[in-house]
Amino acid sequence: MSVMRLLVLGAVRQHGRAHGYQVRNDLEFWGAHEWSTAKPGSIYHALKQMAKQGLLLAHETARSPAGGPPRTEYELTEAGEEAYLDLLRESLRAHDQRIDVLTSAVGCIVDLPRAEAIALLRERVAALEDWKRQVFEHWTPQAAPAEWGHIGEVMLLWVHNADSSAEWTRGLIERLENGAYVMAGEGERSRDVLPDGAENPFR
């Protein structure tokens, strides 16, 4: 649910007020239906559930000119804003997030002030370095690598993943420090995920 909360709240927040089809279209453009649980049915379910939980405010709009049922538009409540930002912060700082959670957080990182995003990512690097230390101190066999057997590959995998993840995170920190992207409080960003006239490549 944390991935759905982050993605759906972030997509609604991007527009200020959005209906389910807009949220679905945005998330499909991100490819979220491929790398997360954000499938069409689960998106609409999440919108309704979070409205019941007080994280979203639902507005029923007028019937469409084509005669279809009225669409429900959603916007974040104060509790929804707080939940979204808390989840975003935790997803960026933690070293052991699942890849879909981290991917969602990186996709929403511009909703944070630049200095805060950098500080959270530095926490992530420190946590990765600490995890690597723990692997060496507590789980790595004392024998020579050739004597570890295939179980030694587990430790090598953990260390490799920690190193590569830390390297990527340092690169993102450097890009942010050099002014990449328009972060929160730095000016207006387009509310549209798809550029004008662009077709959703996943449709």
Side-chain angles (χ1 to χ4, degrees), residues 11-130:
V12 172
R13 189 179 188 273
Q14 168 81 6
H15 291 282
R17 187 164 153 168
H19 52 74
Y21 181 79
Q22 286 175 305
V23 173
R24 174 186 170 184
N25 203 45
D26 287 357
L27 297 185
E28 285 184 347
F29 179 66
W30 290 3
H33 59 297
E34 299 288 345
W35 48 260
S36 78
T37 57
K39 307 295 189 279
S42 59
I43 290 169
Y44 291 107
H45 177 72
L47 286 165
K48 290 176 183 176
Q49 283 298 110
M50 286 192 282
K52 287 180 184 177
Q53 294 164 358
L55 302 179
L56 293 172
L57 186 61
H59 303 274
E60 192 169 282
T61 61
R63 289 182 177 274
S64 71
R71 279 182 166 163
T72 302
E73 291 188 339
Y74 299 89
E75 66 178 321
L76 268 67
T77 62
E78 187 175 328
E81 177 81 4
E82 184 177 345
Y84 169 69
L85 292 175
D86 285 349
L87 188 53
L88 176 55
R89 290 172 179 129
E90 184 55 34
S91 299
L92 287 173
R93 72 160 55 95
H95 80 282
D96 55 353
Q97 288 290 16
R98 296 194 325 262
I99 190 62
D100 56 344
V101 178
L102 180 59
T103 300
S104 303
V106 173
C108 299
I109 196 171
V110 295
D111 288 337
L112 294 173
R114 187 175 301 275
E116 182 179 8
I118 290 170
L120 290 168
L121 291 169
R122 285 181 176 147
E123 285 185 46
R124 184 169 193 275
V125 171
L128 284 163
E129 290 173 343
D130 185 59

